[in-house]
Amino acid sequence: FAADLVSTEVVRRGTPGALVSIGGDLSAVGRPPEPEGWRVTIEDPFAPADKLATLALNAGGVATSSTLSRSWHRGGRRRHHVLDPATGTSATTDLATVTVFAPSAWEAEVQATATVVQGSDGAIAHLESCGLSGVAVTSAGQLCATGDLAGVLPSRAVAGAAPS
């Protein structure tokens, strides 16, 4: 939400366009610097120096939710910061990351996290039912994408698999 507020305020004050990143959540408002849009890279969650795709964003928000970052081991099990609202504990999911494109950064963040909790079985159907675009990467390195993004992603698994 902060990225949405800042980008809107920057444009309101006279800048033709703004792309604001706060904690990795992006908000794009106004005129992008290139006709095709702001270039947004989706990184490989298992090899962050590598990219899965670079896409153009004209306006709206992008957010990635991950079970790989902000994780720890407790009681011999790997835990992470994405919580299942039904249990209040780390979500049991086969997804490593979900990146969502939405009308706003706050909505992208909410939907990315909600999709991680759902797991791969319902991830893409959920995003498409919300009218959103997105990419999910499983812990085994398999890619899943909404229909509009499927053609721009590599037809392979990503670099590796998440630690157990």
Side-chain angles (χ1 to χ4, degrees), residues 68-142:
L68 302 178
S69 60
R70 291 179 235 141
S71 65
W72 60 94
H73 282 83
R74 178 184 240 177
R77 290 190 55 206
R78 188 176 158 279
R79 311 282 183 181
H80 54 80
H81 76 289
V82 178
L83 301 181
D84 182 335
T87 65
T89 62
S90 295
T92 301
T93 180
D94 64 335
L95 291 175
T97 62
V98 175
T99 300
V100 174
F101 293 78
S104 62
W106 73 263
E107 184 178 2
E109 173 58 30
V110 167
Q111 293 297 345
T113 302
T115 304
V116 166
V117 172
Q118 288 190 26
S120 65
D121 286 344
I124 300 308
H126 169 75
L127 292 174
E128 289 179 337
S129 74
C130 294
L132 302 174
S133 300
V135 177
V137 180
T138 70
S139 298
Q142 296 301 310

Side-chain angles (χ1 to χ4, degrees), residues 9-91:
E9 183 63 16
V10 167
V11 170
R12 188 187 72 75
R13 291 179 181 234
T15 302
L19 178 67
V20 173
S21 173
I22 296 181
D25 295 350
L26 303 175
S27 176
V29 176
R31 189 175 72 236
E34 310 217 5
E36 62 273 4
W38 305 93
R39 295 187 185 277
V40 176
T41 298
I42 300 173
E43 69 183 30
D44 181 330
F46 303 110
D50 297 337
K51 63 182 177 182
L52 294 180
T54 299
L55 306 170
L57 176 67
N58 286 314
V62 182
T64 298
S65 188
S66 173
T67 60
L68 302 178
S69 60
R70 291 179 235 141
S71 65
W72 60 94
H73 282 83
R74 178 184 240 177
R77 290 190 55 206
R78 188 176 158 279
R79 311 282 183 181
H80 54 80
H81 76 289
V82 178
L83 301 181
D84 182 335
T87 65
T89 62
S90 295

